Amino acid sequence: MSDQIKFIVDNLNKEPFRKNYNLITFDSLEPMQLLQVLNDVLAEIDPKQVVDIREEMPEQTAKRMLSLLGILKYKPPGNATDMSTFRQGLVIGSKPVIYPVLHWLLQRTSELKKRAYLARFLIKLEVPSEFLQDETVADTNKQYEELMEAFKTLHKECEQLKTSGFSTAEIRRDISAMEEEKDQLIKRVERLKKRVETVQNHQRMLKIARQLRVEKEREEFLVQQKQEQKNQLFHAVQRLQRIQNQLKSMRHAAADAKPESLMKRLEEEIKFNSYMVTEKFPKELESKKKELHFLQKVVSEPAMGHSDLLELESKINEINTEINQLIEKKMMRNEPIEGKLSLYRQQASIISRKKEAKAEELQEAKEKLANLEREVSVKTNQTREFDGTEVLKGDDFKRYVSKLRSKSTVFKKKHQIIAGFKAEFGLLQRTEELLKQRHENIQHQLQTIEDKKGISGYSYTQEELERVSALKTEVDEMKGRTLDDMSEMVKKLNSLVSEKKSALAPVIKELRQLRQKCQEVRGLREECLQEESRYHYTNCMIKNLEIQLRRATDEMKAYVSSDQQEKRKAIREQYTKNIAEQENLGKKLREKQKAVRESHGPNMKQAKMWRDFEQLMECKKQCFLKQQSQTSIGQFRYQWCLRSFMRQETTFTLHKCKHMSIKKHVVFFLMQ
């Protein structure tokens, strides 16, 4: 219970509750405050539960919470009697009832939010069968069920999209990019339409283009269908070849094999399979069961803290020390029989481990062989798909090998030529390095001579000046060429601009006229759309009025008809019948209420008289018991007087009492 309260307090102190409780303050909450905390948690799951329970009746609060807990599939512990105590505890705010509910809700808040959200749309509203006889109600109910199924499918798709890894930002970017492409395509289509409208017989040409597109699509479909049929044929041929190979291998094995070898092979397979079934698989299954049991045990245990882990570590260390001490004691004894047995046990364990290892190796080899066979079949299929040819066999393979040998001889010759070129390249590279070293030595000697003569850096500056002068001449030439090219380009551009202006002048005039016409066409289109929408609206209104008129005529026919069954089907008759029944029921209830009001006062008086009578009888009984110690004569006289007095009192009470059940009880008492 303490772990449960700690978990509840920790979660209530977090977002979105932020209650700032500790264990003491939470445990000292009043029942009303505890119910308000439970209501706040339920309101976080379902926003409709946001209520101040001080302004709500306890029965309404309990009913609302029980209905929501039923929707969330909360199962209280215990049987039916515990269910009644659970309801009572929920009404009075009992801690043993509220704490498990809070613990269960706070453990799975996100899951319960989703369940409460789905319950708003998936809890079906039951409609009585008599109301479903009406066509309108039946159609509405059918639409309601269809919308519920559509919501289920849409919610599943939404969940799949959420878990598929697509982000909304990427989808929005894709949508915006597609919208831009769509706008560009629309503009392009409009431009192409404008261009085509100027061409003669453009409608006929568009029709022919549509037919061409349809035929191309049909051609693509036929090509795809042909490819699928080829693939099917290829798979069928492959399956046939595989079966033929299996048949050939089986025939070959049957032809070469002897009964003794077959029996030996079958015995080895049986031994291997029996070993796997009787020894290896049961051990693995037992180890897996132990591991599963251990994991279930670990899961069922509560979460451990740091102190628990330290305690477990200390226990483990103690057990390890005890094990070491026992091993040392055993080694000190050094019993020879145990030594021999341990030797045999070690040998047996080594042999069993070797056996298990060999079995695993054999199993892995079989799996590897199966994988290699699958890879070979896949590779053969790929080669057939790439080349369109089958795998070579027999003489074809020999010819292929001879071709490869001839190509390998050519390859060796070419490889020798390349090796010669590489050797020559190495020699040239080496000579280049030697020449560079010589050049560096000469430069170093020249620099030392310049230093001796007092003109250090002369050769370097000479080279730099020559290089700069060469660069300057190149730049001057490039400047001259670029200026000439720019002047020629400017002349060409000016001439092109003037030509385009003169060519576009009549087109611009036509474009202005076309713009005016386009504006008029747009206005007419808008008017046409408005009129069309008005037409559809009036048609819908006419259809609705026709349906209402048809229903009214059917109602009148049923009402005027002489057939009583037809009259009973009329809505007016049904409503009048229901109204009459409700009026009779109200009249009976008012009469009952009046009778209850009239008999309330006398009944209360009779109840008071009966209580007084009971007190009187109890007092007389006590007096009678006190006087039992007196003489028999006095006792007899007292009993006679008491009996006569009680009869007088009860007869007086019976005269005043009007309630039959009370009279019966009193008469029974007098008879005793």
Side-chain angles (χ1 to χ4, degrees):
M1 181 64 77
S2 61
D3 295 334
Q4 193 179 54
I5 297 171
K6 187 177 179 182
F7 176 79
I8 294 167
V9 171
D10 291 338
N11 282 277
L12 288 175
N13 291 334
K14 296 177 184 177
E15 292 289 340
F17 305 107
R18 300 179 69 183
K19 296 291 185 180
N20 294 325
Y21 289 141
N22 54 28
L23 294 174
I24 298 169
T25 56
F26 181 73
D27 194 48
S28 61
L29 289 176
E30 296 293 330
M32 188 65 71
Q33 295 174 344
L34 197 60
L35 280 172
Q36 186 63 50
V37 171
L38 177 60
N39 191 77
D40 294 340
V41 176
L42 292 173
E44 178 62 25
I45 294 168
D46 187 6
K48 290 183 180 179
Q49 306 295 322
V50 180
V51 177
D52 190 357
I53 61 172
R54 293 175 296 182
E55 300 175 358
E56 191 178 27
M57 296 295 291
E59 292 81 6
Q60 294 178 355
T61 304
K63 186 178 179 182
R64 179 171 54 80
M65 289 183 178
L66 284 170
S67 63
L68 182 59
L69 289 173
I71 290 169
L72 299 178
K73 297 181 180 179
Y74 174 71
K75 293 180 180 179
N79 50 16
T81 57
D82 292 333
M83 283 295 294
S84 61
T85 57
F86 174 76
R87 292 192 188 94
Q88 292 175 1
L90 194 64
V91 171
I92 63 175
S94 176
K95 291 179 181 179
V97 174
I98 302 296
Y99 284 173
V101 178
L102 283 172
H103 186 263
W104 186 79
L105 292 173
L106 293 170
Q107 273 183 333
R108 44 182 70 83
T109 306
S110 58
E111 179 186 350
L112 296 177
K113 279 184 181 179
K114 183 179 176 182
R115 192 175 292 171
Y117 167 73
L118 292 174
R120 286 190 292 171
F121 304 101
L122 297 180
I123 293 177
K124 190 175 179 181
L125 182 64
E126 296 295 335
V127 182
S129 58
E130 57 267 17
F131 292 112
L132 289 173
Q133 294 177 359
D134 190 1
E135 293 180 358
T136 308
V137 177
D139 293 338
T140 307
N141 189 32
K142 188 176 180 181
Q143 290 178 2
Y144 169 67
E145 292 176 353
E146 289 174 355
L147 289 171
M148 189 180 288
E149 294 296 328
F151 174 77
K152 288 180 182 177
T153 55
L154 289 172
H155 181 70
K156 287 180 182 177
E157 291 176 0
C158 180
E159 291 295 324
Q160 289 175 0
L161 288 173
K162 285 180 180 177
T163 56
S164 62
F166 292 108
S167 63
T168 55
E170 291 178 358
I171 295 169
R172 285 173 183 169
R173 283 198 296 271
D174 293 337
I175 290 168
S176 61
M178 286 191 283
E179 286 178 353
E180 289 177 359
E181 290 178 0
K182 182 182 175 183
D183 295 335
Q184 291 176 2
L185 289 171
I186 290 168
K187 290 177 182 177
R188 190 175 176 186
V189 169
E190 289 178 354
R191 286 199 299 271
L192 291 171
K193 281 183 179 179
K194 288 178 182 179
R195 288 183 185 176
V196 170
E197 285 175 356
T198 58
V199 181
Q200 295 180 354
N201 297 326
H202 64 278
Q203 293 293 337
R204 185 168 171 275
M205 293 174 73
L206 287 172
K207 187 177 180 182
I208 292 166
R210 288 194 197 96
Q211 291 177 358
L212 178 63
R213 181 173 55 78
V214 171
E215 293 297 328
K216 282 186 177 179
E217 290 177 355
R218 188 181 174 190
E219 183 182 3
E220 289 177 358
F221 175 72
L222 291 172
V223 169
Q224 187 178 2
Q225 194 174 3
K226 183 179 178 183
Q227 187 65 32
E228 289 177 357
Q229 290 178 357
K230 279 185 178 179
N231 293 330
Q232 290 175 1
L233 179 63
F234 171 71
H235 290 304
V237 171
Q238 184 181 1
R239 199 180 302 113
L240 178 63
Q241 288 178 356
R242 188 167 59 251
I243 293 166
Q244 286 177 353
N245 292 328
Q246 289 178 0
L247 180 62
K248 193 182 290 183
S249 62
M250 289 172 71
R251 283 177 180 174
H252 183 70
D256 295 339
K258 294 180 181 179
E260 293 83 3
S261 61
L262 287 173
M263 288 295 293
K264 190 175 181 181
R265 195 185 307 158
L266 288 171
E267 285 176 358
E268 288 176 356
E269 288 182 0
I270 289 166
K271 285 179 182 178
F272 175 73
N273 291 327
S274 62
Y275 167 72
M276 295 292 287
V277 171
T278 56
E279 295 184 14
K280 186 170 174 35
F281 288 158
K283 287 180 181 177
E284 291 181 355
L285 183 63
E286 189 66 28
S287 64
K288 294 293 181 185
K289 283 182 178 178
K290 287 180 180 178
E291 188 177 356
L292 179 63
H293 179 69
F294 177 71
L295 292 173
Q296 287 177 351
K297 188 177 178 182
V298 170
V299 170
S300 62
E301 288 180 357
M304 293 185 178
H306 186 66
S307 59
D308 298 330
L309 290 172
L310 291 173
E311 187 177 354
L312 284 173
E313 285 180 358
S314 63
K315 287 182 180 179
I316 289 165
N317 292 325
E318 290 176 359
I319 292 166
N320 287 328
T321 54
E322 289 178 1
I323 290 167
N324 292 326
Q325 289 174 2
L326 290 171
I327 290 167
E328 288 176 358
K329 287 179 181 178
K330 188 176 180 182
M331 290 174 70
M332 292 294 290
R333 288 176 187 173
N334 197 8
E335 295 178 358
I337 297 170
E338 289 292 330
K340 290 179 181 178
L341 289 174
S342 63
L343 181 62
Y344 291 137
R345 287 196 193 99
Q346 288 177 0
Q347 290 178 356
S349 63
I350 289 166
I351 291 166
S352 64
R353 283 198 293 272
K354 285 182 179 179
K355 192 176 180 181
E356 290 177 358
K358 292 297 180 184
E360 289 178 358
E361 287 178 2
L362 181 59
Q363 191 70 21
E364 289 175 358
K366 286 184 177 180
E367 291 176 358
K368 193 174 181 181
L369 180 61
N371 292 326
L372 289 172
E373 287 177 353
R374 284 196 294 272
E375 287 180 3
V376 168
S377 62
V378 170
K379 295 294 182 184
T380 53
N381 295 333
Q382 288 178 357
T383 53
R384 287 174 184 171
E385 288 178 359
F386 292 148
D387 300 336
T389 58
E390 296 180 356
V391 179
L392 298 176
K393 295 178 181 178
D395 297 332
D396 295 331
F397 184 72
K398 289 178 181 178
R399 284 194 292 272
Y400 179 70
V401 169
S402 62
K403 284 181 182 178
L404 280 178
R405 285 173 181 171
S406 61
K407 287 182 179 179
S408 66
T409 54
V410 174
F411 171 74
K412 287 177 182 178
K413 289 179 182 178
K414 300 292 184 185
H415 188 67
Q416 288 176 359
I417 293 167
I418 291 168
F421 286 143
K422 285 182 178 179
E424 189 175 355
F425 174 73
L427 289 171
L428 292 171
Q429 195 172 7
R430 180 59 181 164
T431 53
E432 184 183 3
E433 289 177 358
L434 291 171
L435 290 171
K436 283 182 179 178
Q437 288 178 1
R438 250 177 106 184
H439 178 68
E440 289 176 358
N441 293 328
I442 291 166
Q443 289 289 332
H444 185 66
Q445 291 175 3
L446 182 62
Q447 190 174 0
T448 54
I449 291 166
E450 287 176 354
D451 291 336
K452 287 180 182 179
K453 300 290 184 181
I455 52 171
S456 61
Y458 173 75
S459 60
Y460 178 73
T461 52
Q462 185 73 23
E463 289 176 359
E464 286 293 323
L465 287 171
E466 289 176 357
R467 191 171 61 79
V468 169
S469 62
L471 287 172
K472 184 175 180 299
T473 54
E474 289 178 1
V475 169
D476 292 336
E477 289 176 359
M478 287 175 68
K479 282 182 180 179
R481 285 198 299 271
T482 51
L483 288 171
D484 295 334
D485 293 338
M486 287 174 70
S487 61
E488 289 178 0
M489 192 178 289
V490 169
K491 289 178 182 178
K492 286 180 182 179
L493 288 172
N494 288 327
S495 62
L496 284 171
V497 168
S498 60
E499 288 175 1
K500 294 293 181 183
K501 280 183 180 179
S502 60
L504 289 172
V507 178
I508 290 167
K509 290 181 181 179
E510 292 178 0
L511 183 62
R512 288 173 183 170
Q513 295 175 0
L514 290 172
R515 281 179 179 171
Q516 293 177 358
K517 288 182 181 179
C518 182
Q519 289 178 357
E520 293 176 1
V521 170
R522 282 180 182 171
L524 292 171
R525 279 184 181 174
E526 290 176 358
E527 290 179 2
C528 181
L529 290 172
Q530 290 176 0
E531 294 296 329
E532 189 176 355
S533 63
R534 196 178 295 120
Y535 168 73
H536 289 302
Y537 177 72
T538 51
N539 273 338
C540 292
M541 292 297 292
I542 289 166
K543 287 180 181 178
N544 289 329
L545 292 172
E546 287 177 354
I547 291 166
Q548 292 177 2
L549 183 62
R550 196 183 302 118
R551 288 182 67 187
T553 53
D554 293 339
E555 183 69 21
M556 287 298 295
K557 284 179 183 178
Y559 183 70
V560 175
S561 177
S562 60
D563 191 1
Q564 294 297 324
Q565 292 182 355
E566 291 292 329
K567 277 189 175 182
R568 286 172 187 170
K569 290 181 181 178
I571 296 171
R572 182 173 178 179
E573 290 293 329
Q574 292 178 3
Y575 280 124
T576 52
K577 185 180 176 182
N578 290 332
I579 289 165
E581 289 177 356
Q582 295 297 323
E583 286 178 352
N584 292 328
L585 182 62
K587 189 175 179 181
K588 289 178 181 178
L589 291 172
R590 283 193 294 273
E591 290 175 356
K592 193 174 181 180
Q593 184 181 11
K594 185 178 178 182
V596 169
R597 283 179 181 173
E598 289 175 355
S599 62
H600 179 68
N603 288 336
M604 293 297 291
K605 288 180 181 179
Q606 287 180 6
K608 188 175 182 301
M609 290 169 67
W610 179 248
R611 286 195 295 272
D612 296 339
F613 177 72
E614 281 182 348
Q615 290 178 1
L616 182 61
M617 292 295 107
E618 185 66 27
C619 181
K620 289 178 179 180
K621 181 182 176 183
Q622 295 294 331
C623 293
F624 174 73
L625 293 173
K626 286 180 182 179
Q627 295 296 328
Q628 276 186 352
S629 60
Q630 293 179 0
T631 58
S632 60
I633 299 168
Q635 185 176 6
F636 176 75
R637 191 176 293 169
Y638 176 75
Q639 287 178 356
W640 182 80
C641 293
L642 181 64
R643 176 84 59 176
S644 62
F645 179 74
M646 286 171 66
R647 283 197 180 93
Q648 290 175 3
E649 289 291 330
T650 49
T651 51
F652 175 74
T653 307
L654 280 170
H655 283 298
K656 289 185 179 181
C657 185
K658 294 180 181 180
H659 206 279
M660 291 299 296
S661 61
I662 297 172
K663 286 183 179 181
K664 288 178 182 178
H665 285 294
V666 174
V667 169
F668 179 73
F669 177 76
L670 289 172
M671 288 173 71
Q672 290 178 351

